[in-house]
Amino acid sequence: MKNTSISLLVTLTLILTACHTKEEKKEKEKKQQPNIIFFLADDLGYGEVGVYGQKKIETPNIDALATNGIKFTQHYSGAPVCAPARYVFLTGNHTGHAYIRGNDEWNERGDVWNYEEVFKNSKLEGQRPIPDSTVTLGHQLQKAGYTTGILGKWGLGAPESDGIPNLQGFDFFYGYNCQRQAHNLYPAHLWKNTDKVLLDNELVSPSTKLDSLSDPYDINSYSKFSQNEYAPKKIQQKAISFIKTNKNQPFFMYYASPLPHLPLQVPKEYVDKYRKVFGEEEPYIGDDAYFPNRYPRATYAGMISYLDDQLGELIATLKEEGIYENTIIIFSSDNGPTYLGGVDFDYFESSKPFSNGYGKTKGFVYEGGIRVPLIASWPNHITPGSTSDHISAFYDLMPTICDMAGITPPENIDGLSFKPALLGKQQQQHDFLYWEFPSYNGQQAVRLGKWKGIRKNIFDGNLTLELYNLETDLEEKIDVASQYPNVVEKIEHIMKQEHQPAANTKFKFKQLGDL
């Protein structure tokens, strides 16, 4: 009997030890999963970062990220404007297959552009929601044990809809639900998960201009446009807190900064820094949907420096918490630079080495509108100071991040993981990249090796293809379509093959046979 008891005790001990070892192994594997931060700037041009050639604006932290990691020279956004670019990133599908293909303000609800009414009635706020059946990167990472958070601007589903972040794969959300509301960086409210958080700011509509008797050269005339609580600062505080709260478990942070998207607003010390460098300048009076500004060049440069400082603070926090070595940081921009609101894109050469200004940057599928910075850092994995000319796009980010987290991405997506390129290994290449954009009079584009094919003004019935050789013509000035009919034919075939009629009537192309 005694021997039997001892035998049972030994067996029980072995079972408990095995279970304990198994649990320890699970915990160890969980802790070994890398933290992932995707830091997305808003309307930041390819040429507005020091490591990509910017001379006037200082971006030491972004540049250092490249020094410690890898810089991509041929990476593309998923679209030339906010909402579809973000949808493409989160789902791994290009805009020929995407649910969201353009900005959609869901204006059948009422006067959604009335800033005061939207503040009073949140049912007017936000963009048309993505369906509840959408499989996002957030969902995939949650299933793998990640805590997921989005800090910043959402734009893919209004409050109280199926499209809010907390129903689309994110455990935590803080920032702007609505991209229209982000047209004021001192807003009257932000959102924390499903709660509307009031800020210590007066409600000032983005259409507000200078008083008729105000002196546009007097800085005091602009006092109403600089208030108490700066949204990017509030978002940053929550991001720091998110890191500290989740430092002992794998986390994914989608940091969707509203900077340097208009309006021109940044704390005074950042403006003063560049006023000393740039000297006197003419005020921007505000002749469109954005606030006026006394020192537009200095303010815009200051906004990018503010963004850069925030990235630096995040990295410093990771190091302080002892998790920097196990954190992947990816930095990019949602599309090319703007041409509105007092931004002097020629002064900053915002799209260099591509063509600059309206028709070639934000809103358009030329290189200046969709080729964006991409920098990634992963200590002890990515070779510091490396550069890659791998051709990739936003729809590759979902499978790439899944790959780095050790999980399988959804089937039937358009993206390819470029984890091998990040690690300096042999990389599978896309046969082509595809975009369509049912705004700015309708556009399509294809990147096919060195070739770039573009259709524009489709809504006018134009289906003629422009063709550019990007090896010799980065500014897309010399249309060589007549010289290479075989290439034109291949690209036209891809455009036909990759375009599926959109679920939303607003995004359909009658000229492509959708209606």
Side-chain angles (χ1 to χ4, degrees), residues 209-486:
K209 305 305 175 197
L210 291 178
D211 297 332
S212 59
L213 299 179
S214 296
D215 178 2
Y217 290 90
D218 182 357
I219 188 62
N220 294 314
S221 300
Y222 301 83
S223 60
K224 71 179 73 173
F225 307 115
S226 180
Q227 298 198 55
N228 298 315
E229 294 192 282
Y230 190 52
K233 181 178 180 179
K234 301 289 289 184
I235 291 164
Q236 178 77 353
Q237 290 169 344
K238 296 297 184 183
I240 297 295
S241 176
F242 182 84
I243 290 172
K244 292 181 176 181
T245 300
N246 296 291
K247 65 182 179 181
N248 294 321
Q249 58 193 11
F251 65 79
F252 169 60
M253 180 196 293
Y254 170 26
Y255 194 115
S257 173
L259 297 174
H261 193 296
L262 296 168
L264 294 169
Q265 292 176 304
V266 76
K268 181 177 180 295
E269 60 267 29
Y270 284 85
V271 180
D272 291 345
K273 170 184 175 178
Y274 284 103
R275 280 185 61 193
K276 294 175 183 176
V277 178
F278 299 161
E280 281 303 310
E281 54 178 302
E282 289 297 304
Y284 167 65
I285 303 303
D287 56 1
D288 47 42
Y290 296 105
F291 294 137
N293 186 277
R294 175 62 189 90
Y295 301 102
R297 288 177 177 172
T299 302
Y300 187 67
M303 290 168 74
I304 294 176
S305 282
Y306 195 97
L307 174 83
D308 183 80
D309 281 351
Q310 290 188 310
L311 177 64
E313 186 180 14
L314 287 183
I315 293 170
T317 301
L318 295 171
K319 292 178 178 179
E320 290 166 7
E321 299 299 330
I323 57 175
Y324 172 72
E325 298 291 320
N326 192 39
T327 302
I328 300 163
I329 304 170
I330 303 172
F331 174 87
S332 193
S333 175
D334 64 345
N335 47 250
T338 191
Y339 46 83
L340 293 170
V343 175
D344 194 339
F345 48 79
D346 284 328
Y347 179 76
F348 293 114
E349 298 182 295
S350 296
S351 294
K352 190 176 181 179
F354 317 119
S355 292
N356 218 359
Y358 181 81
K360 293 286 185 154
T361 53
K362 180 179 178 179
F364 295 89
V365 293
Y366 289 94
E367 295 293 284
I370 56 175
R371 200 187 294 200
V372 292
L374 181 75
I375 300 169
S377 168
W378 190 7
N380 304 315
H381 292 82
I382 293 174
T383 302
S386 52
T387 300
S388 175
D389 61 1
H390 172 63
I391 300 172
S392 57
F394 264 29
Y395 49 92
D396 295 325
L397 285 165
M398 190 223 214
T400 301
I401 290 173
C402 285
D403 197 0
M404 292 190 291
I407 60 178
T408 303
E411 296 181 354
N412 302 317
I413 62 174
D414 297 308
L416 294 173
S417 170
F418 58 84
K419 179 182 175 182
L422 287 169
L423 304 181
K425 299 179 180 178
Q426 188 171 358
Q427 170 68 49
Q428 181 183 359
Q429 304 294 319
H430 279 286
D431 293 332
F432 58 83
L433 298 179
Y434 176 76
W435 300 264
E436 64 180 62
F437 184 47
S439 298
Y440 291 77
N441 218 23
Q443 304 167 59
Q444 286 178 294
V446 167
R447 175 75 193 267
L448 182 66
K450 67 180 182 179
W451 302 108
K452 175 85 172 291
I454 293 174
R455 279 178 177 160
K456 62 185 181 184
N457 299 323
I458 296 175
F459 294 162
D460 289 339
N462 175 51
L463 297 180
T464 301
L465 191 81
E466 300 173 6
L467 183 67
Y468 302 98
N469 181 345
L470 296 181
E471 286 185 353
T472 59
D473 182 23
L474 278 176
E475 293 186 279
E476 297 166 297
K477 289 185 174 181
I478 306 169
D479 181 359
V480 296
S482 62
Q483 301 172 40
Y484 298 94
N486 291 340

Side-chain angles (χ1 to χ4, degrees), residues 78-89:
V81 296
C82 289
R86 294 155 199 263
Y87 180 88
V88 166
F89 154 63

